[in-house]
Amino acid sequence: MYPRLEIDINKLKHNASVLSKKCKEKGIETAVVTKVYCAFPEVVKYLKDSGIKYIADSRIKNLKKLRDINISKILIRIPMITEVEEVVKYADISLNSEFEVIKKLDEKARILNEKHKIALMVDLGDLREGYFKEEELFKVVEKVLKLKNIELIGLGTNLTCYGAVIPSKENLGRLCSLAKEIENKFNIKLSFISGGNSSSLHLLDKGEMPEKVTNLRLGEAIALGRETAFGEVIEGTYQDVFKLVCEIIELKEKPSIPIGEIGVDAFGNKPYYEDRGIRKRAIVGIGKQDINVDGVIPMDTKIDILGASSDHLILDVTDSDKEYKVGDKIEFNLEYGGLMAASTSEYVAKVFKYGDEKELAYNV
Ligand SMILES: *Cc1c(COP(=O)(O)O)cnc(C)c1O
């Protein structure tokens, strides 16, 4: 069934092993972030034995799907008050930045007879979640330490998301000195210092990762084999774990400029067309309703994407070395946004490849 998202489990597992080894050499435990592929349990259960310590996801719904997989789980989006019960049930650790929510987590944990672990988020300047003011952070630590069913295990930060701020030894150093200050002031030990996501990896190579950092939360680096501060490929990893495969539904030679008066396209935009004469155009059966067409790259580098409407993706295949026919399949590499949309789309079938011809189709 097409379009389909093919997931090579062995390649993903390999990437997880490479990254967790790289982190371990610097005394850092890895949390694999599974949100970009919806934490498909068919995938995640195979990641357990790749040296990683935690599974992390932004959605409690995803962690709930993984409840039978025996590994520590972290909820990485700060919880909603309305989901605290599920957070205590399905996450071992949650990242937090609001005392009101933490108090509710404590109440639920008491009812469920659990001890819920939290890390407090610190905003180092990226201006998404976390405590921005130090005094506020120290005050909340004092209050959290009085809660009986909450265990404060450390601090975390997130960078290069909203503000695109690149992790450095200075900003992560500040996270570590805050942790030290808290340890001294309150006479506690903070064992979990989570120094960010795939954009922090460059500090490992440069030997600039502050020593106190004990955890990284890695999504894109493991899924796509790239660090995200500079977009560099990570040595020894695969970039083609995920592949989108679509089918050609029309193949015809047509002019490159539409005929007639040009108004606006299906999305209200006024398009521009370059006259390249008569070209061979392939339409594949996928469109803006199915995926994020800006996040897909044809693996045949001689194919150009001309555009897309809700249900159609139009390709120029004139220069390709391959003689395509109707019914042929066209493969695409995926960028982060393309992978996210293909994963969540109910119109894209998921095919899990385990390497030994045993394939499992999902959602078909
Ligand atoms: C998505 C996310 C991550 C993972 O980011 P990558 O760039 O994919 O490694 C880590 N932490 C938080 C809080 C996130 O939301």
Side-chain angles (χ1 to χ4, degrees):
M1 183 170 181
Y2 299 91
R4 63 204 256 177
L5 175 67
E6 294 186 356
I7 307 169
D8 188 320
I9 310 283
N10 286 328
K11 285 185 177 173
L12 186 65
K13 217 170 134 175
H14 170 87
N15 284 3
S17 306
V18 169
L19 265 310
S20 66
K21 190 156 165 268
K22 196 176 160 91
C23 289
K24 245 183 212 148
E25 282 165 6
K26 303 280 160 79
I28 292 174
E29 300 281 9
T30 304
V32 184
V33 177
T34 53
K35 65 189 182 197
V36 72
Y37 40 92
C38 302
F40 298 126
E42 295 87 342
V43 173
V44 177
K45 67 181 175 197
Y46 290 95
L47 294 178
K48 230 180 67 170
D49 314 316
S50 51
I52 59 153
K53 173 121 187 229
Y54 306 98
I55 299 288
D57 205 286
S58 49
R59 277 145 226 278
I60 198 66
K61 204 169 169 183
N62 285 350
L63 293 183
K64 188 174 176 182
K65 289 194 291 193
L66 304 175
R67 62 186 176 277
D68 294 332
I69 302 174
N70 187 18
I71 186 166
S72 274
K73 300 181 191 88
I74 312 176
L75 179 69
I76 57 173
R77 179 169 67 192
I78 46 176
M80 301 177 204
I81 284 191
T82 49
E83 64 186 11
V84 288
E85 179 164 351
E86 270 120 344
V87 175
V88 172
K89 277 187 181 157
Y90 304 115
D92 301 282
I93 302 169
S94 60
L95 308 182
N96 285 271
S97 65
E98 290 291 353
F99 185 69
E100 268 175 77
V101 179
I102 301 169
K103 227 171 73 186
K104 289 276 190 260
L105 285 167
D106 178 60
E107 283 167 21
K108 277 294 168 202
R110 189 169 318 130
I111 294 166
L112 296 165
N113 202 18
E114 297 251 3
K115 192 130 189 174
H116 182 71
K117 299 188 179 77
I118 67 160
L120 293 170
M121 291 302 273
V122 179
D123 188 338
L124 299 172
D126 203 57
L127 305 186
R128 203 177 72 180
E129 75 274 42
Y131 289 93
F132 190 75
K133 297 182 189 150
E134 296 184 7
E135 319 82 73
E136 208 186 323
L137 177 67
F138 295 137
K139 258 187 219 147
V140 81
V141 169
E142 192 175 349
K143 289 198 275 186
V144 166
L145 291 175
K146 292 189 181 126
L147 302 175
K148 296 225 162 41
N149 292 67
I150 294 290
E151 183 187 346
L152 177 64
I153 59 166
L155 301 182
T157 195
N158 196 66
L159 290 161
T160 342
C161 271
Y162 172 73
V165 172
I166 292 178
S168 64
K169 61 176 190 292
E170 288 77 24
N171 54 28
L172 288 186
R174 189 170 155 241
L175 179 75
C176 295
S177 35
L178 285 169
K180 261 181 242 158
E181 228 175 296
I182 290 169
E183 289 184 324
N184 294 338
K185 202 165 163 166
F186 297 96
N187 196 23
I188 54 172
K189 176 95 190 78
L190 297 179
S191 60
F192 181 89
I193 307 299
S194 191
N197 55 45
S198 301
S199 68
S200 295
L201 286 166
H202 73 105
L203 294 175
L204 291 181
D205 296 329
K206 293 177 183 152
E208 291 183 358
M209 182 67 81
E211 252 179 48
K212 222 176 151 48
V213 171
T214 60
N215 171 274
L216 288 179
R217 311 176 307 270
L218 303 179
E220 183 161 349
I222 290 173
L224 299 178
R226 266 175 209 287
E227 60 81 42
T228 56
F230 306 100
E232 303 284 343
V233 161
I234 297 164
E235 208 183 307
T237 62
Y238 294 103
Q239 284 73 52
D240 59 351
V241 172
F242 298 88
K243 200 160 70 175
L244 181 72
V245 190
C246 305
E247 184 170 323
I248 299 179
I249 56 177
E250 185 190 289
L251 189 73
K252 292 191 193 307
E253 292 199 337
K254 295 187 187 183
S256 28
I257 298 199
I259 321 297
E261 189 189 347
I262 307 291
V264 292
D265 69 11
F267 293 89
N269 304 308
K270 183 137 190 154
Y272 165 79
Y273 304 98
E274 187 192 347
D275 191 358
R276 302 180 68 196
I278 302 285
R279 307 289 292 176
K280 198 195 287 173
R281 298 154 72 98
I283 299 178
V284 293
I286 195 162
K288 291 186 183 179
Q289 187 159 0
D290 311 290
I291 50 151
N292 167 3
V293 290
D294 298 324
V296 306
I297 304 155
M299 288 171 89
D300 179 342
T301 54
K302 293 181 173 166
I303 293 180
D304 280 333
I305 296 181
L306 293 174
S309 57
S310 311
D311 318 305
H312 304 81
L313 181 63
I314 308 164
L315 308 172
D316 184 330
V317 298
T318 317
D319 298 333
S320 175
D321 300 326
K322 213 180 147 198
E323 272 306 317
Y324 288 104
K325 313 183 298 295
V326 170
D328 278 356
K329 309 301 177 287
I330 303 235
E331 298 181 332
F332 298 85
N333 276 317
L334 293 159
E335 291 177 348
Y336 193 82
L339 174 55
M340 189 170 68
S343 296
T344 54
S345 174
E346 69 165 293
Y347 300 112
V348 177
K350 315 297 184 283
V351 178
F352 306 110
K353 307 191 88 144
Y354 296 104
D356 53 358
E357 301 304 311
K358 190 180 71 175
E359 291 185 12
L360 177 64
Y362 170 80
N363 193 4
V364 290

Short mmCIF file of all heavy atoms in Angstrom, two decimals, residues 275-331:
data_model
loop_
_atom_site.label_atom_id
_atom_site.label_comp_id
_atom_site.label_asym_id
_atom_site.label_seq_id
_atom_site.Cartn_x
_atom_site.Cartn_y
_atom_site.Cartn_z
N ASP A 275 9.85 29.06 -17.54
CA ASP A 275 9.62 28.37 -18.82
C ASP A 275 10.84 27.52 -19.17
O ASP A 275 11.90 28.03 -19.50
CB ASP A 275 9.34 29.38 -19.93
CG ASP A 275 8.83 28.67 -21.19
OD1 ASP A 275 8.75 27.41 -21.18
OD2 ASP A 275 8.51 29.37 -22.17
N ARG A 276 10.69 26.20 -19.05
CA ARG A 276 11.78 25.29 -19.40
C ARG A 276 11.38 24.41 -20.58
O ARG A 276 11.94 23.35 -20.81
CB ARG A 276 12.16 24.43 -18.19
CG ARG A 276 12.56 25.28 -16.97
CD ARG A 276 12.94 24.42 -15.78
NE ARG A 276 14.17 23.70 -16.01
CZ ARG A 276 14.57 22.66 -15.29
NH1 ARG A 276 13.81 22.23 -14.29
NH2 ARG A 276 15.70 22.04 -15.56
N GLY A 277 10.34 24.86 -21.29
CA GLY A 277 9.88 24.10 -22.44
C GLY A 277 9.02 22.93 -22.03
O GLY A 277 8.46 22.90 -20.94
N ILE A 278 8.92 21.94 -22.92
CA ILE A 278 8.12 20.75 -22.64
C ILE A 278 8.92 19.83 -21.72
O ILE A 278 10.10 19.57 -21.97
CB ILE A 278 7.81 19.99 -23.96
CG1 ILE A 278 7.06 20.90 -24.96
CG2 ILE A 278 7.04 18.70 -23.70
CD1 ILE A 278 5.61 21.15 -24.65
N ARG A 279 8.33 19.37 -20.61
CA ARG A 279 9.04 18.53 -19.64
C ARG A 279 8.22 17.27 -19.35
O ARG A 279 6.99 17.28 -19.47
CB ARG A 279 9.24 19.28 -18.31
CG ARG A 279 9.90 20.63 -18.43
CD ARG A 279 11.36 20.57 -18.79
NE ARG A 279 12.18 20.03 -17.73
CZ ARG A 279 13.50 19.81 -17.85
NH1 ARG A 279 14.11 20.09 -19.00
NH2 ARG A 279 14.19 19.31 -16.85
N LYS A 280 8.94 16.22 -18.92
CA LYS A 280 8.24 15.00 -18.53
C LYS A 280 7.89 15.11 -17.05
O LYS A 280 8.77 15.26 -16.19
CB LYS A 280 9.10 13.77 -18.77
CG LYS A 280 8.26 12.50 -18.80
CD LYS A 280 9.09 11.26 -18.67
CE LYS A 280 9.88 10.95 -19.92
NZ LYS A 280 10.81 9.82 -19.67
N ARG A 281 6.59 15.08 -16.79
CA ARG A 281 6.11 15.30 -15.42
C ARG A 281 5.47 14.04 -14.87
O ARG A 281 4.67 13.39 -15.55
CB ARG A 281 5.07 16.43 -15.41
CG ARG A 281 5.62 17.76 -15.87
CD ARG A 281 4.53 18.62 -16.44
NE ARG A 281 3.64 19.14 -15.42
CZ ARG A 281 3.74 20.36 -14.90
NH1 ARG A 281 4.68 21.19 -15.32
NH2 ARG A 281 2.91 20.76 -13.97
N ALA A 282 5.83 13.71 -13.64
CA ALA A 282 5.20 12.57 -12.96
C ALA A 282 4.38 13.10 -11.81
O ALA A 282 4.83 13.98 -11.07
CB ALA A 282 6.27 11.61 -12.44
N ILE A 283 3.18 12.58 -11.67
CA ILE A 283 2.39 12.89 -10.48
C ILE A 283 2.44 11.66 -9.58
O ILE A 283 2.20 10.54 -10.04
CB ILE A 283 0.93 13.20 -10.83
CG1 ILE A 283 0.86 14.42 -11.76
CG2 ILE A 283 0.11 13.44 -9.57
CD1 ILE A 283 -0.57 14.77 -12.19
N VAL A 284 2.81 11.87 -8.29
CA VAL A 284 2.71 10.75 -7.35
C VAL A 284 1.54 10.99 -6.40
O VAL A 284 1.16 12.14 -6.15
CB VAL A 284 4.04 10.50 -6.56
CG1 VAL A 284 5.13 10.01 -7.49
CG2 VAL A 284 4.48 11.74 -5.82
N GLY A 285 0.97 9.90 -5.94
CA GLY A 285 -0.26 9.97 -5.15
C GLY A 285 0.00 10.32 -3.70
O GLY A 285 -0.17 9.50 -2.80
N ILE A 286 0.41 11.56 -3.47
CA ILE A 286 0.57 12.06 -2.10
C ILE A 286 0.46 13.58 -2.20
O ILE A 286 0.77 14.15 -3.26
CB ILE A 286 1.92 11.63 -1.49
CG1 ILE A 286 1.93 11.84 0.03
CG2 ILE A 286 3.09 12.39 -2.13
CD1 ILE A 286 3.02 11.08 0.75
N GLY A 287 0.00 14.25 -1.17
CA GLY A 287 -0.15 15.69 -1.26
C GLY A 287 -0.06 16.36 0.10
O GLY A 287 0.34 15.74 1.09
N LYS A 288 -0.44 17.63 0.10
CA LYS A 288 -0.28 18.42 1.32
C LYS A 288 -1.15 17.92 2.47
O LYS A 288 -0.89 18.23 3.63
CB LYS A 288 -0.61 19.89 1.03
CG LYS A 288 0.42 20.56 0.14
CD LYS A 288 0.13 22.04 0.01
CE LYS A 288 1.12 22.69 -0.95
NZ LYS A 288 0.87 24.12 -1.13
N GLN A 289 -2.22 17.22 2.13
CA GLN A 289 -3.06 16.69 3.21
C GLN A 289 -2.39 15.49 3.89
O GLN A 289 -2.71 15.15 5.03
CB GLN A 289 -4.44 16.31 2.67
CG GLN A 289 -5.38 15.91 3.80
CD GLN A 289 -6.84 16.03 3.42
OE1 GLN A 289 -7.18 16.41 2.30
NE2 GLN A 289 -7.71 15.67 4.34
N ASP A 290 -1.49 14.83 3.17
CA ASP A 290 -0.86 13.62 3.69
C ASP A 290 0.44 13.90 4.43
O ASP A 290 0.76 13.25 5.41
CB ASP A 290 -0.53 12.67 2.54
CG ASP A 290 -1.70 12.47 1.62
OD1 ASP A 290 -2.66 11.82 2.06
OD2 ASP A 290 -1.69 12.98 0.49
N ILE A 291 1.22 14.83 3.91
CA ILE A 291 2.57 15.05 4.44
C ILE A 291 2.92 16.53 4.36
O ILE A 291 2.17 17.33 3.84
CB ILE A 291 3.65 14.27 3.63
CG1 ILE A 291 3.48 14.55 2.13
CG2 ILE A 291 3.61 12.80 3.94
CD1 ILE A 291 4.76 14.46 1.36
N ASN A 292 4.12 16.85 4.85
CA ASN A 292 4.69 18.18 4.69
C ASN A 292 5.61 18.10 3.46
O ASN A 292 6.70 17.56 3.53
CB ASN A 292 5.48 18.50 5.96
CG ASN A 292 6.37 19.71 5.81
OD1 ASN A 292 6.38 20.37 4.78
ND2 ASN A 292 7.13 20.00 6.84
N VAL A 293 5.13 18.61 2.32
CA VAL A 293 5.87 18.40 1.07
C VAL A 293 7.22 19.13 1.06
O VAL A 293 8.09 18.80 0.27
CB VAL A 293 5.05 18.81 -0.17
CG1 VAL A 293 3.91 17.83 -0.41
CG2 VAL A 293 4.52 20.22 -0.06
N ASP A 294 7.40 20.08 1.96
CA ASP A 294 8.69 20.77 2.01
C ASP A 294 9.76 19.93 2.71
O ASP A 294 10.94 20.26 2.67
CB ASP A 294 8.56 22.10 2.77
CG ASP A 294 7.60 23.04 2.07
OD1 ASP A 294 7.58 23.03 0.83
OD2 ASP A 294 6.87 23.77 2.76
N GLY A 295 9.33 18.86 3.38
CA GLY A 295 10.29 18.06 4.15
C GLY A 295 10.66 16.75 3.47
O GLY A 295 11.14 15.84 4.13
N VAL A 296 10.42 16.64 2.16
CA VAL A 296 10.77 15.40 1.46
C VAL A 296 11.75 15.70 0.32
O VAL A 296 11.65 16.73 -0.33
CB VAL A 296 9.51 14.66 0.92
CG1 VAL A 296 8.51 14.43 2.02
CG2 VAL A 296 8.87 15.40 -0.25
N ILE A 297 12.70 14.80 0.13
CA ILE A 297 13.75 14.99 -0.89
C ILE A 297 13.83 13.72 -1.74
O ILE A 297 14.09 12.64 -1.20
CB ILE A 297 15.12 15.23 -0.21
CG1 ILE A 297 15.02 16.41 0.75
CG2 ILE A 297 16.21 15.46 -1.24
CD1 ILE A 297 16.04 16.36 1.86
N PRO A 298 13.61 13.83 -3.06
CA PRO A 298 13.68 12.62 -3.89
C PRO A 298 15.07 11.98 -3.79
O PRO A 298 16.09 12.68 -3.83
CB PRO A 298 13.44 13.14 -5.31
CG PRO A 298 12.81 14.48 -5.15
CD PRO A 298 13.31 15.03 -3.85
N MET A 299 15.13 10.65 -3.65
CA MET A 299 16.43 9.97 -3.57
C MET A 299 17.11 9.98 -4.93
O MET A 299 18.33 9.98 -5.01
CB MET A 299 16.24 8.56 -3.02
CG MET A 299 15.90 8.60 -1.54
SD MET A 299 15.40 7.04 -0.86
CE MET A 299 16.94 6.38 -0.35
N ASP A 300 16.34 9.96 -6.00
CA ASP A 300 16.87 10.16 -7.34
C ASP A 300 17.16 11.66 -7.47
O ASP A 300 16.25 12.48 -7.58
CB ASP A 300 15.82 9.71 -8.37
CG ASP A 300 16.28 9.91 -9.81
OD1 ASP A 300 17.23 10.68 -10.04
OD2 ASP A 300 15.67 9.29 -10.70
N THR A 301 18.44 12.02 -7.41
CA THR A 301 18.81 13.44 -7.32
C THR A 301 18.50 14.20 -8.60
O THR A 301 18.60 15.42 -8.63
CB THR A 301 20.31 13.59 -6.99
OG1 THR A 301 21.04 12.84 -7.96
CG2 THR A 301 20.63 13.08 -5.60
N LYS A 302 18.14 13.48 -9.66
CA LYS A 302 17.83 14.16 -10.92
C LYS A 302 16.34 14.48 -11.06
O LYS A 302 15.88 14.91 -12.11
CB LYS A 302 18.34 13.33 -12.09
CG LYS A 302 19.87 13.29 -12.07
CD LYS A 302 20.44 12.52 -13.20
CE LYS A 302 21.97 12.68 -13.20
NZ LYS A 302 22.59 11.68 -14.08
N ILE A 303 15.60 14.24 -10.00
CA ILE A 303 14.17 14.61 -9.99
C ILE A 303 14.02 15.95 -9.27
O ILE A 303 14.61 16.17 -8.22
CB ILE A 303 13.34 13.53 -9.24
CG1 ILE A 303 13.34 12.22 -10.03
CG2 ILE A 303 11.91 14.01 -9.00
CD1 ILE A 303 12.53 11.11 -9.36
N ASP A 304 13.19 16.83 -9.85
CA ASP A 304 12.86 18.10 -9.18
C ASP A 304 11.41 18.06 -8.72
O ASP A 304 10.55 17.59 -9.45
CB ASP A 304 12.96 19.28 -10.17
CG ASP A 304 14.38 19.72 -10.38
OD1 ASP A 304 15.20 19.52 -9.46
OD2 ASP A 304 14.67 20.25 -11.47
N ILE A 305 11.17 18.61 -7.53
CA ILE A 305 9.78 18.75 -7.08
C ILE A 305 9.23 20.05 -7.66
O ILE A 305 9.80 21.12 -7.43
CB ILE A 305 9.70 18.75 -5.54
CG1 ILE A 305 10.16 17.39 -5.00
CG2 ILE A 305 8.27 19.07 -5.08
CD1 ILE A 305 10.11 17.26 -3.49
N LEU A 306 8.14 19.97 -8.43
CA LEU A 306 7.58 21.18 -9.05
C LEU A 306 6.56 21.84 -8.13
O LEU A 306 6.43 23.05 -8.11
CB LEU A 306 6.92 20.82 -10.39
CG LEU A 306 7.89 20.37 -11.50
CD1 LEU A 306 7.11 19.90 -12.72
CD2 LEU A 306 8.84 21.51 -11.87
N GLY A 307 5.82 21.03 -7.42
CA GLY A 307 4.81 21.60 -6.53
C GLY A 307 3.86 20.54 -6.05
O GLY A 307 3.99 19.36 -6.40
N ALA A 308 2.90 20.98 -5.23
CA ALA A 308 1.95 20.02 -4.68
C ALA A 308 0.62 20.69 -4.45
O ALA A 308 0.55 21.91 -4.22
CB ALA A 308 2.48 19.46 -3.37
N SER A 309 -0.43 19.89 -4.55
CA SER A 309 -1.75 20.35 -4.10
C SER A 309 -2.16 19.40 -2.98
O SER A 309 -1.33 18.63 -2.49
CB SER A 309 -2.73 20.35 -5.27
OG SER A 309 -2.78 19.05 -5.83
N SER A 310 -3.39 19.42 -2.56
CA SER A 310 -3.80 18.60 -1.42
C SER A 310 -3.47 17.12 -1.60
O SER A 310 -3.05 16.46 -0.67
CB SER A 310 -5.32 18.69 -1.20
OG SER A 310 -5.71 20.02 -1.20
N ASP A 311 -3.67 16.61 -2.81
CA ASP A 311 -3.59 15.16 -3.02
C ASP A 311 -2.54 14.73 -4.03
O ASP A 311 -2.39 13.54 -4.28
CB ASP A 311 -4.95 14.65 -3.50
CG ASP A 311 -6.09 15.29 -2.74
OD1 ASP A 311 -6.07 15.20 -1.51
OD2 ASP A 311 -6.97 15.92 -3.37
N HIS A 312 -1.85 15.69 -4.64
CA HIS A 312 -0.92 15.38 -5.73
C HIS A 312 0.43 16.05 -5.50
O HIS A 312 0.48 17.21 -5.11
CB HIS A 312 -1.45 15.88 -7.07
CG HIS A 312 -2.81 15.35 -7.41
ND1 HIS A 312 -3.97 15.90 -6.91
CD2 HIS A 312 -3.20 14.32 -8.20
CE1 HIS A 312 -5.01 15.23 -7.38
NE2 HIS A 312 -4.58 14.26 -8.16
N LEU A 313 1.50 15.30 -5.77
CA LEU A 313 2.85 15.90 -5.75
C LEU A 313 3.38 15.77 -7.18
O LEU A 313 3.39 14.67 -7.75
CB LEU A 313 3.72 15.12 -4.77
CG LEU A 313 5.16 15.61 -4.59
CD1 LEU A 313 5.21 17.02 -4.01
CD2 LEU A 313 5.93 14.66 -3.67
N ILE A 314 3.77 16.92 -7.75
CA ILE A 314 4.16 16.93 -9.16
C ILE A 314 5.68 17.01 -9.28
O ILE A 314 6.32 17.89 -8.68
CB ILE A 314 3.51 18.13 -9.89
CG1 ILE A 314 2.00 18.13 -9.62
CG2 ILE A 314 3.78 18.05 -11.39
CD1 ILE A 314 1.34 19.45 -9.97
N LEU A 315 6.25 16.08 -10.02
CA LEU A 315 7.70 15.97 -10.14
C LEU A 315 8.13 16.15 -11.59
O LEU A 315 7.43 15.71 -12.50
CB LEU A 315 8.16 14.57 -9.67
CG LEU A 315 7.67 14.12 -8.30
CD1 LEU A 315 8.04 12.65 -8.09
CD2 LEU A 315 8.29 14.98 -7.21
N ASP A 316 9.28 16.76 -11.79
CA ASP A 316 9.90 16.82 -13.12
C ASP A 316 10.92 15.70 -13.18
O ASP A 316 11.92 15.73 -12.47
CB ASP A 316 10.56 18.20 -13.29
CG ASP A 316 11.13 18.38 -14.68
OD1 ASP A 316 11.53 17.37 -15.31
OD2 ASP A 316 11.19 19.55 -15.14
N VAL A 317 10.66 14.70 -14.04
CA VAL A 317 11.55 13.54 -14.12
C VAL A 317 12.34 13.51 -15.44
O VAL A 317 12.97 12.51 -15.77
CB VAL A 317 10.77 12.21 -13.93
CG1 VAL A 317 10.12 12.16 -12.56
CG2 VAL A 317 9.73 12.01 -15.02
N THR A 318 12.28 14.64 -16.18
CA THR A 318 12.90 14.70 -17.51
C THR A 318 14.38 14.30 -17.49
O THR A 318 14.85 13.58 -18.37
CB THR A 318 12.80 16.14 -18.07
OG1 THR A 318 11.50 16.65 -17.80
CG2 THR A 318 13.07 16.18 -19.57
N ASP A 319 15.11 14.79 -16.48
CA ASP A 319 16.56 14.60 -16.48
C ASP A 319 17.01 13.29 -15.83
O ASP A 319 18.20 12.99 -15.78
CB ASP A 319 17.23 15.77 -15.73
CG ASP A 319 16.95 17.10 -16.43
OD1 ASP A 319 16.74 17.07 -17.66
OD2 ASP A 319 16.93 18.14 -15.74
N SER A 320 16.07 12.53 -15.30
CA SER A 320 16.44 11.29 -14.61
C SER A 320 17.03 10.27 -15.58
O SER A 320 16.67 10.23 -16.76
CB SER A 320 15.21 10.70 -13.93
OG SER A 320 15.55 9.45 -13.37
N ASP A 321 17.94 9.44 -15.08
CA ASP A 321 18.52 8.37 -15.91
C ASP A 321 17.55 7.21 -16.03
O ASP A 321 17.74 6.33 -16.85
CB ASP A 321 19.82 7.87 -15.27
CG ASP A 321 20.83 8.99 -15.14
OD1 ASP A 321 20.84 9.87 -16.03
OD2 ASP A 321 21.59 9.01 -14.15
N LYS A 322 16.55 7.22 -15.17
CA LYS A 322 15.62 6.10 -15.15
C LYS A 322 14.42 6.38 -16.04
O LYS A 322 13.94 7.52 -16.09
CB LYS A 322 15.17 5.87 -13.71
CG LYS A 322 14.90 4.44 -13.41
CD LYS A 322 14.46 4.16 -12.01
CE LYS A 322 13.50 2.98 -12.13
NZ LYS A 322 12.66 2.80 -11.01
N GLU A 323 13.93 5.37 -16.77
CA GLU A 323 12.71 5.53 -17.57
C GLU A 323 11.53 5.15 -16.69
O GLU A 323 11.20 3.97 -16.55
CB GLU A 323 12.76 4.60 -18.79
CG GLU A 323 13.43 5.19 -20.01
CD GLU A 323 12.85 6.53 -20.46
OE1 GLU A 323 11.61 6.68 -20.47
OE2 GLU A 323 13.66 7.44 -20.78
N TYR A 324 10.92 6.12 -16.05
CA TYR A 324 9.81 5.81 -15.15
C TYR A 324 8.56 5.43 -15.93
O TYR A 324 8.35 5.89 -17.06
CB TYR A 324 9.52 7.01 -14.25
CG TYR A 324 10.58 7.22 -13.20
CD1 TYR A 324 11.53 8.25 -13.33
CD2 TYR A 324 10.65 6.40 -12.08
CE1 TYR A 324 12.51 8.46 -12.37
CE2 TYR A 324 11.64 6.59 -11.11
CZ TYR A 324 12.56 7.61 -11.26
OH TYR A 324 13.53 7.80 -10.32
N LYS A 325 7.72 4.58 -15.32
CA LYS A 325 6.42 4.22 -15.89
C LYS A 325 5.34 4.47 -14.84
O LYS A 325 5.65 4.53 -13.64
CB LYS A 325 6.36 2.72 -16.25
CG LYS A 325 7.53 2.17 -17.01
CD LYS A 325 7.31 0.70 -17.37
CE LYS A 325 7.17 -0.26 -16.17
NZ LYS A 325 8.36 -0.37 -15.34
N VAL A 326 4.11 4.56 -15.31
CA VAL A 326 3.00 4.66 -14.36
C VAL A 326 3.01 3.40 -13.48
O VAL A 326 3.24 2.30 -13.99
CB VAL A 326 1.65 4.78 -15.12
CG1 VAL A 326 0.47 4.62 -14.16
CG2 VAL A 326 1.57 6.13 -15.81
N GLY A 327 2.85 3.58 -12.19
CA GLY A 327 2.87 2.44 -11.27
C GLY A 327 4.23 2.26 -10.60
O GLY A 327 4.34 1.57 -9.59
N ASP A 328 5.28 2.88 -11.16
CA ASP A 328 6.60 2.81 -10.52
C ASP A 328 6.57 3.54 -9.18
O ASP A 328 5.73 4.43 -8.96
CB ASP A 328 7.67 3.48 -11.40
CG ASP A 328 8.16 2.53 -12.51
OD1 ASP A 328 7.72 1.36 -12.51
OD2 ASP A 328 8.96 3.00 -13.35
N LYS A 329 7.52 3.19 -8.32
CA LYS A 329 7.59 3.83 -7.01
C LYS A 329 8.72 4.84 -7.00
O LYS A 329 9.78 4.60 -7.57
CB LYS A 329 7.84 2.77 -5.92
CG LYS A 329 6.89 1.57 -5.98
CD LYS A 329 5.44 1.97 -5.84
CE LYS A 329 4.48 0.80 -5.98
NZ LYS A 329 4.31 0.27 -7.35
N ILE A 330 8.47 5.96 -6.34
CA ILE A 330 9.51 6.97 -6.17
C ILE A 330 9.82 7.08 -4.68
O ILE A 330 8.90 7.18 -3.86
CB ILE A 330 9.04 8.32 -6.74
CG1 ILE A 330 8.66 8.15 -8.21
CG2 ILE A 330 10.11 9.40 -6.50
CD1 ILE A 330 9.32 9.04 -9.20
N GLU A 331 11.12 7.06 -4.36
CA GLU A 331 11.51 7.08 -2.94
C GLU A 331 12.02 8.46 -2.54
O GLU A 331 12.68 9.15 -3.32
CB GLU A 331 12.63 6.06 -2.71
CG GLU A 331 12.17 4.65 -3.03
CD GLU A 331 13.26 3.62 -2.77
OE1 GLU A 331 14.46 3.98 -2.87
OE2 GLU A 331 12.90 2.47 -2.47
#
